[in-house]
Amino acid sequence: MAISEHEADELLDMLSEIWDRGATPERVRAVEEFARKHGAEAHDLILELTGVHANLTASVSSARAYHAATAAVLAEALVENTEPATLSIRPRESRGNSARIALSAGASRRMLVLTSLAAAILAAMVVLSWGPNESAVHDTPLRVAALRIQRPSQPVACIISENSAVWSPGKDFNAGETLHQGQQLNLLEGQAQISMACGADIVLQAPCRVALVADDVVRLDQGSVEAQAAKWATGFVIETEGLKITDLGTRFAVSANSDGVAEAHVLEGTVLAEPLKSVRPKRSSMLLKEGQAIRVDLPKSTIDLIAAKRSQLIDHMTSFRPLRPISIFNTGLGQQIGSADPNWTVVAGDAANMQYPMPAIVTQGDPVYLDNMPDASQWISVSADQQAPPDSVYTFETKFDLTGYDLATVQIVGLFLVDDAINSLRINGHNVPFERWESSWDRQDFQKFRAIPIAEGFVPGENTISIEIYNAPSRPENPTSSNPVGMRIEWQAFGCEAEDVEGSNPGRPHAPRPSSPGRLTTTLPWLASAR
């Protein structure tokens, strides 16, 4: 049955209720009834609207899951040893008609594999956007819908080396300087090599203007950039006004000029090239292999596949020792409310309260907190109701592994929300300096993460972070009453692999970075810049 514009609006309202207020059985049934009534037309529109919502959700959080999923689809295509399925898209004629996507002729088995994988990815994104935890099925509105937790700008890259670099006036950068998310760089002369926290290095060739969108996304506004990504940095992206290039384990170069022309040349390996949809390409995406290139001309709305101009491309990346992310679990990551967090333990606390050690419990949080984000972090405490005696102290611990890392290059930044205060923060028993803050019944600070960097005290193998949380007395009229205690933490951590680790070579052979052979302690001042 054809869907009218009014009915499409009704569907959007039903889906918005699910996204904004939770997937209650009643709301889900309403969508299911709409789908049964309108058949395939409704299924297409639901998938389209859900896909748009998932993309918007992903754009304000980490894009790494999307990149990993894209890489999985492309890996299947590569296993078949054929070109990936071609997608042609016709523009929508009216709001009530969804866009139609037609697969070009190709091996039926390959199309089935790709279609199944794409469906699985979309389903995963739908589950993510509709809420993964059990509490979402209850008809409970957001407590503080208009507010968002503030996160300080995080370090995402470091300038490794410069060669006669001249930056825009008032924006001088030096080798070893930390760069933060959202920072814009305008190189007027020379060149500069930058190491991204995800494990990719880029070389800027002047004149060049870029923005660091995230630790794995760079926007190129003008100029040329050469990139090399380690095997763990698959999914690193360089995007221009008309072209998006996703690394699949490779070296490549991207250029963009002020006339709206962008090119990408593959020097080694493979990339996924995605021209901007407004160009209306016959292909929405394509794989480019070594020796291939693409040229997108926005003013002319043209896309050309060309041979890579290897003779005109100079390898400016004389050293390549990329950063590698370190796995440290955020509190409550991916867990259900009321469950034990398998990655965090309460090892000490008020003797009258409970026995130790015991697992930390994922909690909904006090009403004055902003809402949990299960795919990012959640509050944890000593009990499901968070209640604890006043003037008591609890020590939370988590462990992580640094096997294979050069300890001199390891840098960690933690983002903290606590109720009520951190008495001490230790790494392997060594105190980490920080400026103490405290929340109380009349002075609450739960809307802004505080950054604490950790730059030393690491040991090979297993490491332990210990956090001593203080629970202050409640209101003066009830000084002996129990009150909430807890914390919420998100980590960013990375370092270089130890050079003597067998098989650790992330790509082609690398040399120590010229600024500090074999170590980064003098060229990665994350500690000072993260405060």
Side-chain angles (χ1 to χ4, degrees):
M1 179 183 294
I3 299 176
S4 68
E5 184 170 346
H6 175 70
E7 289 169 329
D9 287 338
E10 287 182 342
L11 175 61
L12 181 57
D13 289 340
M14 287 187 284
L15 292 174
S16 296
E17 279 290 302
I18 290 175
W19 298 327
D20 295 340
R21 300 174 62 83
T24 65
E26 293 78 10
R27 293 175 184 141
V28 172
R29 276 197 298 271
V31 174
E32 291 174 344
E33 290 172 3
F34 186 97
R36 281 193 293 268
K37 178 180 179 181
H38 295 281
E41 192 85 12
H43 297 163
D44 287 348
L45 186 54
I46 291 170
L47 287 174
E48 181 183 10
L49 293 174
T50 303
V52 170
H53 175 74
N55 286 336
L56 290 174
T57 300
S59 71
V60 295
S61 59
S62 174
R64 196 173 299 277
Y66 165 76
H67 297 324
T70 302
V73 172
L74 295 173
E76 282 290 337
L78 290 173
V79 167
E80 295 294 328
N81 197 28
T82 61
E83 291 290 323
T86 300
L87 298 177
S88 60
I89 298 181
R90 293 188 295 159
R92 292 177 59 180
E93 297 176 357
S94 70
R95 184 174 179 181
N97 296 321
S98 60
R100 295 290 182 264
I101 301 177
L103 285 171
S104 66
S108 59
R109 178 176 176 271
R110 173 168 53 87
M111 288 193 294
L112 179 60
V113 169
L114 291 175
T115 303
S116 300
L117 283 170
I121 294 166
L122 179 57
M125 295 171 79
V126 172
V127 170
L128 174 63
S129 62
W130 283 9
N133 84 58
E134 270 179 3
S135 64
V137 302
H138 301 296
D139 190 6
T140 304
L142 296 178
R143 293 191 302 273
V144 196
L147 295 177
R148 295 182 62 187
I149 295 178
Q150 301 176 42
R151 288 173 171 79
S153 178
Q154 288 298 286
V156 296
C158 179
I159 297 179
I160 297 305
S161 63
E162 293 180 316
N163 184 4
S164 304
V166 177
W167 304 91
S168 58
K171 297 288 186 179
D172 287 340
F173 299 100
N174 301 306
E177 188 164 343
T178 298
L179 304 174
H180 288 73
Q181 183 175 7
Q183 198 158 359
Q184 298 188 8
L185 310 176
N186 188 5
L187 183 64
L188 303 179
E189 298 179 18
Q191 66 182 47
Q193 181 168 337
I194 297 173
S195 187
M196 305 296 295
C198 69
D201 277 19
I202 60 175
V203 175
L204 279 55
Q205 299 292 323
C208 185
R209 188 171 68 250
V210 302
L212 307 181
V213 180
D215 67 352
D216 58 353
V217 180
V218 173
R219 188 183 74 242
L220 174 61
D221 296 322
Q222 187 175 351
S224 61
V225 171
E226 179 188 334
Q228 179 171 357
K231 57 189 177 183
W232 55 82
T234 295
F236 171 69
V237 170
I238 295 181
E239 54 188 16
T240 72
E241 184 181 2
L243 183 63
K244 175 182 176 182
I245 299 296
T246 302
D247 163 73
L248 299 178
T250 186
R251 276 200 310 137
F252 61 97
V254 182
S255 64
N257 64 27
S258 57
D259 296 327
V261 178
E263 293 186 7
H265 298 251
V266 183
L267 308 178
E268 295 178 7
T270 307
V271 302
L272 174 66
E274 299 176 89
L276 199 67
K277 294 298 186 292
S278 62
V279 185
R280 303 197 187 284
K282 293 182 179 180
R283 289 185 171 188
S284 65
S285 63
M286 60 199 75
L287 290 177
L288 298 180
K289 302 179 181 179
E290 181 177 344
Q292 296 180 328
I294 186 173
R295 187 175 192 269
V296 175
D297 190 322
L298 285 179
K300 296 180 180 179
S301 294
T302 60
I303 300 174
D304 297 305
L305 293 179
I306 57 179
K309 302 173 183 177
R310 299 185 66 90
S311 60
Q312 300 180 27
L313 297 173
I314 302 174
D315 187 357
H316 296 95
M317 202 170 296
T318 56
S319 65
F320 182 54
R321 194 179 178 211
L323 296 171
R324 181 168 189 167
I326 298 168
S327 178
I328 308 179
F329 284 94
N330 298 347
T331 57
L333 182 64
Q335 304 301 315
Q336 300 289 333
I337 299 299
S339 66
D341 189 326
N343 305 301
W344 286 86
T345 304
V346 185
V347 297
D350 184 84
N353 204 29
M354 52 203 68
Q355 295 183 341
Y356 307 94
M358 54 166 283
I361 305 300
V362 181
T363 71
Q364 184 64 49
D366 190 79
V368 298
Y369 305 159
L370 294 183
D371 285 345
N372 283 325
M373 296 176 61
D375 57 331
S377 65
Q378 301 185 88
W379 283 86
I380 61 173
S381 185
V382 296
S383 62
D385 63 5
Q386 290 191 278
Q387 297 297 306
D391 203 29
S392 56
V393 177
Y394 301 89
T395 302
F396 294 77
E397 283 191 353
T398 190
K399 299 180 184 297
F400 62 99
D401 192 0
L402 290 180
T403 299
Y405 283 90
D406 180 352
L407 300 184
T409 70
V410 171
Q411 300 291 332
I412 297 173
V413 176
L415 300 183
F416 291 80
L417 289 172
V418 295
D419 188 355
D420 292 293
I422 300 177
N423 274 357
S424 67
L425 170 62
R426 298 184 297 275
I427 176 73
N428 300 314
H430 301 283
N431 285 322
V432 175
F434 67 95
E435 185 176 344
R436 190 178 187 272
W437 73 97
E438 182 175 331
S439 295
S440 61
W441 69 271
D442 61 343
R443 189 180 67 254
Q444 297 171 346
D445 185 9
F446 304 126
Q447 286 75 49
K448 181 180 180 180
F449 278 100
R450 303 292 186 98
I452 301 179
I454 305 175
E456 56 187 4
F458 308 112
V459 297
E462 186 176 78
N463 287 248
T464 302
I465 293 177
S466 305
I467 305 163
E468 191 175 273
I469 300 295
Y470 171 67
N471 188 37
S474 187
R475 295 175 178 273
E477 61 269 26
N478 298 305
T480 61
S481 298
S482 294
N483 62 87
V485 65
M487 66 178 192
R488 178 176 172 182
I489 305 174
E490 298 178 4
W491 301 102
Q492 186 177 31
F494 33 78
C496 292
E497 288 188 328
E499 292 190 277
D500 59 350
V501 174
E502 184 178 356
S504 66
N505 186 356
R508 59 190 174 134
H510 62 264
R513 292 179 170 173
S515 52
S516 181
R519 52 188 293 130
L520 293 175
T521 46
T522 60
T523 62
L524 270 177
W526 307 95
L527 178 63
S529 61
R531 292 186 185 278

